[in-house]
Coordinates of all heavy atoms in Angstrom, one line a residue:
M1317 N 124.8 92.2 113.3 CA 123.4 92.7 113.7 C 123.5 93.9 114.5 O 124.4 93.9 115.5 CB 122.7 91.6 114.3 CG 121.2 91.9 114.7 SD 120.0 92.1 113.3 CE 120.0 90.5 112.7
V1318 N 122.7 94.9 114.3 CA 122.6 96.1 115.1 C 121.9 95.8 116.3 O 120.8 95.1 116.3 CB 121.9 97.2 114.3 CG1 121.7 98.4 115.1 CG2 122.8 97.6 113.0
T1319 N 122.3 96.3 117.5 CA 121.5 96.1 118.7 C 120.6 97.3 118.8 O 120.8 98.4 118.2 CB 122.5 96.1 119.9 OG1 123.1 97.4 120.0 CG2 123.3 95.0 119.9
L1320 N 119.5 97.3 119.6 CA 118.6 98.3 119.7 C 119.1 99.4 120.6 O 118.5 99.6 121.7 CB 117.2 97.8 120.2 CG 116.5 97.0 119.1 CD1 115.1 96.4 119.6 CD2 116.2 97.8 117.9
A1321 N 120.1 100.0 120.3 CA 120.7 101.2 121.0 C 121.3 102.1 120.0 O 121.7 101.7 119.0 CB 121.8 100.6 122.0
G1322 N 121.2 103.4 120.3 CA 121.7 104.4 119.5 C 120.8 104.9 118.5 O 119.8 104.4 118.2
S1323 N 121.3 105.9 117.7 CA 120.5 106.6 116.7 C 121.2 106.5 115.3 O 122.5 106.4 115.3 CB 120.3 108.0 117.0 OG 119.7 108.3 118.2
Y1324 N 120.5 106.5 114.3 CA 121.0 106.3 112.9 C 120.3 107.4 112.1 O 119.2 107.8 112.4 CB 120.8 105.0 112.4 CG 121.6 104.0 113.2 CD1 121.1 103.4 114.3 CD2 122.9 103.6 112.8 CE1 121.8 102.5 115.0 CE2 123.7 102.7 113.5 CZ 123.1 102.2 114.7 OH 123.8 101.3 115.4
R1325 N 120.9 107.8 111.0 CA 120.4 108.8 110.1 C 120.9 108.4 108.7 O 121.8 107.6 108.5 CB 120.7 110.2 110.4 CG 122.2 110.5 110.4 CD 122.6 111.9 110.6 NE 124.0 112.2 110.7 CZ 124.8 112.1 109.8 NH1 124.5 111.9 108.5 NH2 126.1 112.3 110.0
W1326 N 120.4 109.1 107.6 CA 120.8 108.9 106.3 C 122.3 109.3 106.2 O 122.7 110.4 106.7 CB 120.0 109.8 105.4 CG 118.5 109.5 105.2 CD1 117.8 108.6 105.9 CD2 117.7 110.2 104.3 NE1 116.5 108.6 105.4 CE2 116.4 109.6 104.4 CE3 117.9 111.2 103.3 CZ2 115.3 110.0 103.6 CZ3 116.8 111.5 102.5 CH2 115.6 111.0 102.8
N1327 N 123.0 108.7 105.4 CA 124.3 109.0 105.0 C 124.1 110.3 104.1 O 123.3 110.4 103.1 CB 125.0 108.0 104.1 CG 126.4 108.3 103.7 OD1 126.7 109.5 103.5 ND2 127.2 107.3 103.5
S1328 N 124.8 111.4 104.4 CA 124.6 112.6 103.6 C 124.9 112.5 102.1 O 124.5 113.4 101.3 CB 125.4 113.8 104.3 OG 126.8 113.5 104.2
E1329 N 125.7 111.4 101.8 CA 126.0 111.3 100.3 C 124.9 110.4 99.7 O 125.1 110.2 98.4 CB 127.3 110.6 100.3 CG 128.5 111.5 100.7 CD 129.8 110.9 100.7 OE1 130.0 109.8 100.0 OE2 130.7 111.4 101.3
S1330 N 124.0 109.9 100.3 CA 122.9 109.1 99.7 C 121.8 110.0 99.2 O 121.6 111.2 99.7 CB 122.3 108.0 100.7 OG 121.6 108.8 101.8
S1331 N 121.0 109.5 98.3 CA 119.9 110.2 97.8 C 118.7 109.2 97.7 O 118.9 108.0 97.7 CB 120.1 110.8 96.4 OG 120.4 110.0 95.5
C1332 N 117.5 109.9 97.7 CA 116.3 108.9 97.8 C 115.2 109.6 96.9 O 115.0 110.8 96.9 CB 115.8 108.9 99.2 SG 114.3 107.9 99.3
R1333 N 114.5 108.7 96.2 CA 113.3 109.1 95.5 C 112.3 108.2 95.9 O 112.5 106.9 95.9 CB 113.5 109.1 93.9 CG 114.6 110.0 93.4 CD 114.1 111.5 93.5 NE 115.0 112.4 93.0 CZ 115.9 113.0 93.7 NH1 115.9 112.9 95.0 NH2 116.8 113.9 93.2
T1334 N 111.0 108.6 96.1 CA 109.9 107.8 96.4 C 108.9 107.8 95.3 O 108.5 109.0 94.9 CB 109.3 108.1 97.7 OG1 110.2 108.1 98.8 CG2 108.1 107.2 98.1
L1335 N 108.5 106.7 94.7 CA 107.6 106.6 93.7 C 106.5 105.5 94.0 O 107.0 104.4 94.4 CB 108.3 106.2 92.3 CG 109.4 107.1 91.8 CD1 110.2 106.4 90.7 CD2 108.8 108.4 91.4
D1336 N 105.3 105.9 94.0 CA 104.2 105.0 94.3 C 104.4 104.4 95.6 O 104.1 103.1 95.7 CB 104.0 104.0 93.2 CG 103.6 104.6 91.8 OD1 102.9 105.7 91.9 OD2 103.9 104.1 90.8
G1337 N 104.9 105.0 96.6 CA 105.1 104.4 98.0 C 106.3 103.5 98.2 O 106.5 103.0 99.2
T1338 N 107.2 103.5 97.1 CA 108.4 102.7 97.1 C 109.6 103.7 97.2 O 109.7 104.5 96.3 CB 108.6 101.7 96.1 OG1 107.4 100.8 96.1 CG2 109.8 101.0 96.1
A1339 N 110.4 103.6 98.2 CA 111.6 104.4 98.3 C 112.7 103.8 97.6 O 113.0 102.6 97.7 CB 112.0 104.8 99.7
F1340 N 113.5 104.5 96.7 CA 114.7 104.0 96.0 C 115.8 104.8 96.6 O 115.9 106.0 96.4 CB 114.5 104.2 94.6 CG 113.4 103.4 93.9 CD1 112.2 103.9 93.8 CD2 113.7 102.1 93.5 CE1 111.1 103.1 93.3 CE2 112.7 101.4 92.9 CZ 111.4 101.8 92.9
V1341 N 116.7 104.1 97.3 CA 117.9 104.8 97.9 C 119.1 104.5 97.1 O 119.4 103.4 96.7 CB 118.0 104.2 99.4 CG1 119.2 105.0 100.1 CG2 116.8 104.4 100.2
L1342 N 119.9 105.6 96.8 CA 121.0 105.5 96.0 C 122.2 106.0 96.8 O 122.2 107.0 97.4 CB 120.9 106.4 94.7 CG 119.7 105.9 93.9 CD1 118.8 107.1 93.6 CD2 120.1 105.3 92.6
L1343 N 123.3 105.3 96.6 CA 124.6 105.7 97.2 C 125.7 105.2 96.2 O 125.8 104.0 96.1 CB 124.8 105.2 98.5 CG 126.1 105.6 99.2 CD1 126.2 107.1 99.4 CD2 126.3 104.9 100.6
G1344 N 126.4 106.1 95.6 CA 127.3 105.7 94.7 C 126.7 105.0 93.5 O 125.7 105.4 92.9
N1345 N 127.2 103.8 93.2 CA 126.6 102.9 92.1 C 125.7 101.9 92.7 O 125.2 100.9 92.0 CB 127.7 102.3 91.3 CG 128.5 101.3 92.1 OD1 128.4 101.2 93.3 ND2 129.4 100.6 91.4
R1346 N 125.2 102.0 94.1 CA 124.4 101.0 94.6 C 123.0 101.7 94.8 O 122.8 102.9 95.1 CB 124.9 100.6 96.0 CG 126.2 99.8 95.9 CD 126.6 99.3 97.3 NE 126.5 100.3 98.4 CZ 127.6 101.1 98.7 NH1 128.7 101.1 98.0 NH2 127.5 102.0 99.6
M1347 N 122.0 100.8 94.6 CA 120.6 101.2 94.8 C 119.8 100.1 95.5 O 120.0 99.0 95.2 CB 119.9 101.5 93.5 CG 118.5 102.0 93.7 SD 117.5 102.2 92.1 CE 117.1 100.5 91.8
V1348 N 119.0 100.6 96.4 CA 118.1 99.7 97.2 C 116.7 100.2 97.1 O 116.5 101.3 97.2 CB 118.6 99.6 98.7 CG1 117.6 98.8 99.5 CG2 119.9 99.1 98.9
S1349 N 115.8 99.2 96.8 CA 114.4 99.7 96.7 C 113.7 99.1 98.1 O 114.1 98.0 98.5 CB 113.7 99.1 95.6 OG 113.6 97.8 95.5
L1350 N 112.9 99.9 98.7 CA 112.4 99.5 99.9 C 110.9 99.2 99.8 O 110.1 99.9 99.1 CB 112.6 100.6 100.9 CG 114.0 101.1 101.1 CD1 114.1 102.3 102.0 CD2 114.8 99.9 101.6
N1351 N 110.4 98.2 100.6 CA 109.0 97.9 100.6 C 108.3 99.0 101.5 O 108.9 99.9 101.9 CB 108.8 96.5 101.1 CG 109.2 96.3 102.6 OD1 109.4 97.2 103.3 ND2 109.4 95.0 102.9
E1352 N 107.0 98.8 101.7 CA 106.2 99.7 102.5 C 106.8 100.0 103.9 O 106.9 101.2 104.3 CB 104.8 99.2 102.6 CG 103.8 100.1 103.4 CD 102.5 99.5 103.6 OE1 102.2 98.4 103.2 OE2 101.6 100.3 104.2
V1353 N 107.2 98.9 104.6 CA 107.7 99.2 105.9 C 109.1 99.8 105.9 O 109.4 100.7 106.6 CB 107.7 97.9 106.8 CG1 108.2 98.1 108.1 CG2 106.3 97.3 106.9
G1354 N 109.9 99.3 104.9 CA 111.2 100.0 104.8 C 111.1 101.5 104.4 O 111.9 102.3 105.0
T1355 N 110.2 101.8 103.6 CA 110.0 103.2 103.2 C 109.5 104.0 104.4 O 110.0 105.1 104.7 CB 109.0 103.3 102.1 OG1 109.5 102.7 100.9 CG2 108.7 104.7 101.7
F1356 N 108.6 103.4 105.2 CA 108.1 104.0 106.4 C 109.3 104.3 107.4 O 109.5 105.4 107.9 CB 107.2 103.1 107.1 CG 106.6 103.5 108.4 CD1 105.5 104.3 108.5 CD2 107.1 103.0 109.6 CE1 104.9 104.6 109.7 CE2 106.7 103.3 110.8 CZ 105.5 104.2 110.9
L1357 N 110.2 103.3 107.6 CA 111.3 103.5 108.4 C 112.3 104.5 107.8 O 112.8 105.4 108.6 CB 112.0 102.2 108.7 CG 111.4 101.1 109.5 CD1 112.0 99.8 109.5 CD2 111.2 101.7 111.0
W1358 N 112.6 104.4 106.6 CA 113.6 105.3 105.9 C 113.2 106.7 106.1 O 114.0 107.7 106.4 CB 113.7 105.0 104.4 CG 114.6 105.9 103.6 CD1 114.4 106.9 102.9 CD2 116.1 105.8 103.7 NE1 115.5 107.5 102.4 CE2 116.6 106.8 102.9 CE3 117.0 105.0 104.4 CZ2 118.0 107.0 102.7 CZ3 118.3 105.1 104.2 CH2 118.8 106.2 103.4
E1359 N 111.9 107.0 106.0 CA 111.3 108.4 106.1 C 111.6 109.0 107.5 O 112.0 110.1 107.7 CB 109.9 108.5 105.7 CG 109.6 108.3 104.3 CD 108.2 108.2 104.0 OE1 107.3 108.0 104.9 OE2 107.8 108.2 102.8
R1360 N 111.5 108.1 108.5 CA 111.8 108.4 109.9 C 113.3 108.6 110.3 O 113.7 109.2 111.2 CB 111.0 107.5 110.9 CG 109.6 107.8 110.9 CD 108.7 106.6 111.2 NE 107.3 107.0 111.1 CZ 106.7 107.2 110.0 NH1 107.3 107.0 108.9 NH2 105.5 107.6 110.0
L1361 N 114.1 108.0 109.4 CA 115.5 108.1 109.6 C 116.2 109.3 108.9 O 117.4 109.5 109.1 CB 116.2 106.8 109.1 CG 115.9 105.6 110.0 CD1 116.2 104.3 109.3 CD2 116.9 105.7 111.2
E1362 N 115.5 110.1 108.3 CA 116.1 111.2 107.4 C 117.0 112.0 108.4 O 118.1 112.3 108.0 CB 115.0 112.0 106.8 CG 115.7 113.2 106.0 CD 114.7 113.9 105.2 OE1 113.4 113.7 105.3 OE2 115.0 114.8 104.4
R1363 N 116.5 112.5 109.5 CA 117.2 113.4 110.4 C 117.8 112.6 111.5 O 118.4 113.2 112.4 CB 116.4 114.5 110.8 CG 116.1 115.5 109.7 CD 115.3 116.7 110.2 NE 114.8 117.5 109.0 CZ 113.8 117.3 108.3 NH1 112.9 116.3 108.6 NH2 113.5 118.1 107.3
G1364 N 117.5 111.4 111.7 CA 118.1 110.6 112.8 C 116.9 110.1 113.6 O 115.9 110.8 113.9
A1365 N 117.0 108.9 114.1 CA 116.0 108.3 115.0 C 116.6 107.2 115.8 O 117.6 106.5 115.4 CB 114.9 107.7 114.3
E1366 N 116.2 107.1 117.0 CA 116.6 106.0 117.9 C 115.9 104.7 117.5 O 114.8 104.7 117.0 CB 116.1 106.3 119.4 CG 116.8 107.5 120.0 CD 118.0 107.0 120.8 OE1 118.1 105.9 121.1 OE2 118.9 107.9 120.9
L1367 N 116.6 103.6 117.5 CA 116.0 102.4 117.0 C 114.7 102.0 117.8 O 113.8 101.5 117.2 CB 117.0 101.2 117.2 CG 118.1 101.3 116.1 CD1 119.3 100.3 116.4 CD2 117.6 101.1 114.7
E1368 N 114.7 102.2 119.0 CA 113.5 101.8 119.8 C 112.3 102.7 119.4 O 111.2 102.3 119.4 CB 113.7 101.9 121.3 CG 112.6 101.4 122.1 CD 112.2 100.0 121.9 OE1 113.1 99.1 121.6 OE2 111.0 99.7 121.9
Q1369 N 112.5 104.0 119.0 CA 111.5 104.8 118.5 C 111.0 104.2 117.2 O 109.7 104.3 117.0 CB 112.0 106.2 118.2 CG 112.4 107.1 119.4 CD 113.1 108.4 119.0 OE1 113.9 108.4 118.1 NE2 112.8 109.4 119.8
L1370 N 111.8 103.8 116.3 CA 111.4 103.1 115.1 C 110.5 101.9 115.4 O 109.5 101.7 114.8 CB 112.7 102.8 114.3 CG 113.5 103.9 113.8 CD1 114.7 103.3 113.2 CD2 112.7 104.8 112.8
V1371 N 111.0 101.1 116.4 CA 110.2 99.9 116.6 C 108.8 100.3 117.1 O 107.8 99.7 116.6 CB 110.9 99.0 117.7 CG1 110.0 97.9 118.2 CG2 112.2 98.4 117.2
R1372 N 108.7 101.2 118.0 CA 107.3 101.7 118.5 C 106.5 102.2 117.4 O 105.3 101.9 117.2 CB 107.5 102.7 119.6 CG 107.9 102.1 120.9 CD 107.8 103.1 122.1 NE 108.5 104.4 121.8 CZ 109.7 104.6 122.2 NH1 110.4 103.7 122.8 NH2 110.2 105.8 122.0
A1373 N 107.1 103.0 116.4 CA 106.3 103.5 115.3 C 105.9 102.3 114.4 O 104.6 102.4 113.9 CB 107.2 104.4 114.5
V1374 N 106.7 101.3 114.2 CA 106.2 100.1 113.4 C 105.0 99.5 114.1 O 104.0 99.1 113.5 CB 107.3 99.3 113.1 CG1 106.9 97.8 112.5 CG2 108.3 99.8 112.1
V1375 N 105.2 99.2 115.4 CA 104.1 98.6 116.2 C 102.8 99.3 116.1 O 101.7 98.8 115.9 CB 104.5 98.2 117.6 CG1 103.4 97.8 118.4 CG2 105.7 97.3 117.6
D1376 N 102.9 100.7 116.1 CA 101.7 101.5 116.1 C 101.1 101.6 114.7 O 99.8 101.7 114.6 CB 102.1 102.9 116.5 CG 102.4 103.1 118.0 OD1 102.0 102.1 118.8 OD2 102.9 104.1 118.4
A1377 N 101.9 101.5 113.7 CA 101.4 101.6 112.3 C 101.0 100.3 111.6 O 100.2 100.4 110.7 CB 102.4 102.3 111.5
F1378 N 101.6 99.2 112.0 CA 101.4 98.0 111.3 C 100.9 96.9 112.3 O 101.2 96.9 113.5 CB 102.6 97.5 110.6 CG 103.1 98.5 109.6 CD1 104.0 99.5 110.0 CD2 102.7 98.4 108.3 CE1 104.5 100.4 109.0 CE2 103.1 99.3 107.3 CZ 104.1 100.4 107.7
E1379 N 100.3 95.9 111.8 CA 99.8 94.8 112.7 C 101.0 93.8 112.9 O 101.2 93.0 112.1 CB 98.6 94.1 112.1 CG 97.4 94.9 112.0 CD 96.2 94.1 111.5 OE1 96.1 92.9 111.6 OE2 95.3 94.8 110.9
T1380 N 101.7 94.1 114.0 CA 102.9 93.2 114.3 C 103.1 93.3 115.8 O 102.6 94.1 116.5 CB 104.1 93.6 113.6 OG1 105.1 92.7 113.7 CG2 104.6 95.1 113.9
T1381 N 103.9 92.4 116.3 CA 104.3 92.4 117.7 C 105.6 93.3 117.9 O 106.4 93.4 117.0 CB 104.6 90.9 118.3 OG1 105.8 90.5 117.5 CG2 103.4 90.0 117.9
H1382 N 105.7 93.6 119.1 CA 107.0 94.3 119.5 C 108.3 93.4 119.1 O 109.2 94.0 118.6 CB 107.0 94.8 120.9 CG 108.1 95.6 121.3 ND1 109.4 95.1 121.7 CD2 108.2 97.0 121.3 CE1 110.2 96.2 121.9 NE2 109.5 97.3 121.7
A1383 N 108.2 92.2 119.5 CA 109.4 91.3 119.2 C 109.6 91.2 117.7 O 110.8 91.3 117.3 CB 109.0 89.9 119.8
Q1384 N 108.6 91.1 116.9 CA 108.8 90.9 115.4 C 109.3 92.3 114.9 O 110.2 92.3 114.1 CB 107.6 90.5 114.7 CG 107.8 90.2 113.3 CD 108.7 89.1 113.0 OE1 108.4 88.0 113.5 NE2 109.8 89.2 112.3
A1385 N 108.8 93.4 115.3 CA 109.1 94.7 114.9 C 110.6 95.0 115.3 O 111.4 95.5 114.5 CB 108.2 95.8 115.5
S1386 N 111.0 94.6 116.5 CA 112.4 94.8 116.9 C 113.3 94.0 116.1 O 114.3 94.5 115.6 CB 112.5 94.3 118.4 OG 111.8 95.1 119.2
A1387 N 113.0 92.8 115.8 CA 113.9 91.9 114.9 C 114.0 92.4 113.5 O 115.1 92.6 112.9 CB 113.5 90.5 114.9
D1388 N 112.9 92.8 113.0 CA 112.9 93.3 111.6 C 113.5 94.7 111.5 O 114.3 94.9 110.4 CB 111.4 93.3 111.0 CG 110.8 92.1 110.9 OD1 111.4 91.0 110.9 OD2 109.6 92.0 110.7
T1389 N 113.3 95.5 112.4 CA 113.9 96.9 112.4 C 115.4 96.8 112.5 O 116.2 97.4 111.8 CB 113.3 97.7 113.4 OG1 111.9 97.9 113.2 CG2 113.9 99.2 113.5
A1390 N 115.9 95.9 113.4 CA 117.3 95.8 113.6 C 117.9 95.2 112.4 O 119.0 95.6 111.9 CB 117.6 94.8 114.8
A1391 N 117.2 94.2 111.7 CA 117.8 93.7 110.4 C 117.9 94.7 109.3 O 118.8 94.8 108.6 CB 116.9 92.5 110.1
F1392 N 116.8 95.6 109.2 CA 116.8 96.6 108.2 C 117.9 97.6 108.4 O 118.6 97.9 107.5 CB 115.4 97.3 108.4 CG 115.2 98.5 107.4 CD1 114.9 98.4 106.1 CD2 115.4 99.8 108.0 CE1 114.8 99.5 105.4 CE2 115.3 101.0 107.2 CZ 114.9 100.8 105.9
V1393 N 118.1 98.1 109.7 CA 119.1 99.1 110.0 C 120.4 98.4 109.7 O 121.3 99.1 109.1 CB 118.9 99.6 111.4 CG1 120.1 100.5 111.8 CG2 117.7 100.6 111.5
S1394 N 120.6 97.2 110.1 CA 121.9 96.6 110.0 C 122.3 96.5 108.4 O 123.4 96.7 108.1 CB 121.9 95.1 110.5 OG 123.1 94.5 110.4
R1395 N 121.3 96.1 107.6 CA 121.5 96.0 106.2 C 121.9 97.3 105.7 O 122.9 97.4 104.9 CB 120.3 95.5 105.6 CG 120.4 95.5 104.0 CD 119.2 95.0 103.3 NE 119.3 95.2 101.9 CZ 118.3 95.4 101.1 NH1 117.1 95.6 101.6 NH2 118.5 95.6 99.8
L1396 N 121.3 98.4 106.0 CA 121.5 99.6 105.4 C 122.8 100.4 106.0 O 123.5 101.0 105.3 CB 120.4 100.6 105.6 CG 119.1 100.2 104.7 CD1 118.0 101.3 104.7 CD2 119.5 100.0 103.3
V1397 N 123.1 100.0 107.3 CA 124.5 100.4 107.8 C 125.6 99.6 107.0 O 126.6 100.3 106.6 CB 124.6 100.1 109.3 CG1 126.0 100.2 109.7 CG2 123.6 101.1 110.1
G1398 N 125.4 98.4 106.7 CA 126.3 97.7 106.0 C 126.5 98.2 104.6 O 127.6 98.0 104.0
E1399 N 125.4 98.7 104.0 CA 125.5 99.3 102.7 C 126.0 100.8 102.7 O 126.1 101.4 101.7 CB 124.1 99.3 102.0 CG 123.6 98.0 101.7 CD 124.2 97.3 100.4 OE1 124.7 98.1 99.6 OE2 124.2 96.1 100.3
A1400 N 126.3 101.3 103.9 CA 126.7 102.7 104.2 C 125.7 103.7 103.9 O 126.0 104.8 103.7 CB 128.1 102.9 103.5
M1401 N 124.5 103.3 103.7 CA 123.3 104.2 103.5 C 122.7 104.9 104.7 O 122.2 105.9 104.7 CB 122.2 103.5 102.7 CG 122.6 103.0 101.4 SD 121.4 102.1 100.5 CE 122.2 101.9 98.9
L1402 N 123.0 104.2 105.9 CA 122.7 104.8 107.1 C 124.0 104.9 108.0 O 124.9 104.0 107.8 CB 121.7 103.9 108.0 CG 120.3 103.8 107.5 CD1 119.5 102.9 108.5 CD2 119.6 105.2 107.6
V1403 N 124.1 105.9 108.8 CA 125.3 106.1 109.6 C 124.8 106.4 111.1 O 123.8 106.9 111.3 CB 126.2 107.3 109.1 CG1 126.8 106.8 107.7 CG2 125.4 108.5 109.0
P1404 N 125.7 106.1 112.0 CA 125.3 106.4 113.4 C 125.2 107.9 113.6 O 126.0 108.6 113.0 CB 126.4 105.8 114.3 CG 127.1 104.8 113.4 CD 126.9 105.3 112.0
C1405 N 124.4 108.4 114.4 CA 124.3 109.9 114.7 C 125.4 110.2 115.7 O 125.7 109.4 116.6 CB 123.0 110.2 115.3 SG 121.6 110.2 114.1

């Protein structure tokens, strides 16, 4: 699990297409489709973002608590780091 410290950005070898509000992220032969919140986060990670900035953005944009946004954002980033679609800045 990723801790809420540091910045992450898109892997320069990944590509993304967004259709009808759903982002499809491709890296090599792997593809991940993202829901509304995942797409929201992915767009903010294009050039790099601190995890705590992402959490605050989720709290501001969606009806959720800081604790839930922190857990969900950390899980999201951890998953995409594990897939090598996000890399540390």
Side-chain angles (χ1 to χ4, degrees):
M1317 178 73 61
V1318 175
T1319 61
L1320 288 178
S1323 296
Y1324 295 86
R1325 63 172 172 75
W1326 294 7
N1327 180 332
S1328 62
E1329 296 178 14
S1330 67
S1331 60
C1332 178
R1333 297 289 180 264
T1334 302
L1335 302 168
D1336 296 327
T1338 299
F1340 296 90
V1341 182
L1342 301 125
L1343 180 63
N1345 64 354
R1346 294 185 312 273
M1347 182 185 78
V1348 175
S1349 63
L1350 305 176
N1351 65 17
E1352 179 184 6
V1353 178
T1355 299
F1356 176 87
L1357 290 170
W1358 181 258
E1359 290 168 351
R1360 281 150 185 78
L1361 285 159
E1362 182 173 5
R1363 291 183 185 87
E1366 295 269 337
L1367 287 170
E1368 189 56 36
Q1369 292 171 322
L1370 296 172
V1371 171
R1372 284 192 307 270
V1374 168
V1375 170
D1376 290 344
F1378 299 93
E1379 291 186 28
T1380 189
T1381 64
H1382 188 274
Q1384 187 64 57
S1386 292
D1388 292 348
T1389 301
F1392 173 82
V1393 170
S1394 179
R1395 174 181 173 214
L1396 293 185
V1397 167
E1399 294 281 339
M1401 293 176 176
L1402 288 178
V1403 294
C1405 290

